[in-house]
Amino acid sequence: MSDTIFSKIIAGEIPCHKVYEDDQVLAFLDIHPISEGHTLIIPKEAAATIDALSDEASAAIGKALPRIARAVMQVSGCEHYNILQNNGVPAHQAVFHVHFHIIPKHADGSGLGIGWKSRDFDHGKGAEMARAMAAAIGG
Ligand code: AMP
């Protein structure tokens, strides 16, 4: 994987406003926040998208996320927030190192806006797809 701005932040070559760090995870403030307290959580493992992340790094991120969310809530004063994780250019990914956004939704309306257009559900196709996914996961 090529070097990204986030691997440079992990290496200490570029500064960040650090919120949390352990041996596998780093969290810091987003430099172009969409609301006050917008925070990024990244694994130190270099993977571009979450499907490429190891079980170990995923577990470390999963453990850190709720703790960081509580800190974001406490300090930013938000009661509500979104966790966003983009994979691929059409899915709005700009930095190709896995990252989770914690985005406070404040009373002034700032935060993540979502265009969520639900579609009809076909139970036949859905059952087939769920079976195929379960087989793909294996175990
Ligand atoms: P995404 O569209 O999910 O790839 O989001 C990448 C995020 O990284 C954006 O919200 C940027 O504002 C943020 N970002 C880019 N460079 C930096 C940086 N040097 N420090 C903090 N956040 C950054």
Side-chain angles (χ1 to χ4, degrees):
M1 203 183 91
S2 59
D3 248 13
T4 67
I5 191 121
F6 290 171
S7 46
K8 291 189 172 74
I9 288 175
I10 292 166
E13 293 163 17
I14 289 177
C16 70
H17 294 285
K18 193 196 299 184
V19 168
Y20 175 80
E21 182 169 21
D22 63 32
D23 54 343
Q24 295 191 75
V25 175
L26 180 67
F28 51 91
L29 296 183
D30 194 303
I31 206 78
H32 300 296
I34 62 171
S35 63
E36 199 171 278
H38 184 165
T39 300
L40 299 174
I41 298 91
I42 67 174
K44 290 188 175 175
E45 182 177 294
T49 54
I50 197 156
D51 48 280
L53 199 61
S54 71
D55 285 357
E56 198 191 359
S58 307
I61 286 273
K63 188 174 170 191
L65 266 171
R67 297 168 63 188
I68 298 164
R70 286 191 287 274
V72 169
M73 291 177 78
Q74 192 180 315
V75 174
S76 77
C78 75
E79 286 183 53
H80 313 286
Y81 58 94
N82 293 94
I83 293 185
L84 177 70
Q85 203 278 312
N86 299 327
N87 299 278
V89 171
H92 303 285
Q93 185 176 11
V95 179
F96 293 90
H97 182 119
V98 170
H99 52 282
F100 289 74
H101 299 253
I102 298 180
I103 306 170
K105 191 77 182 173
H106 291 297
D108 65 1
S110 62
L112 185 66
I114 301 179
W116 190 289
K117 296 182 187 129
S118 63
R119 301 155 60 118
D120 290 340
F121 186 76
D122 178 324
H123 285 277
K125 274 190 189 166
E128 206 175 295
M129 188 175 272
R131 266 196 304 273
M133 286 179 183
I137 293 165

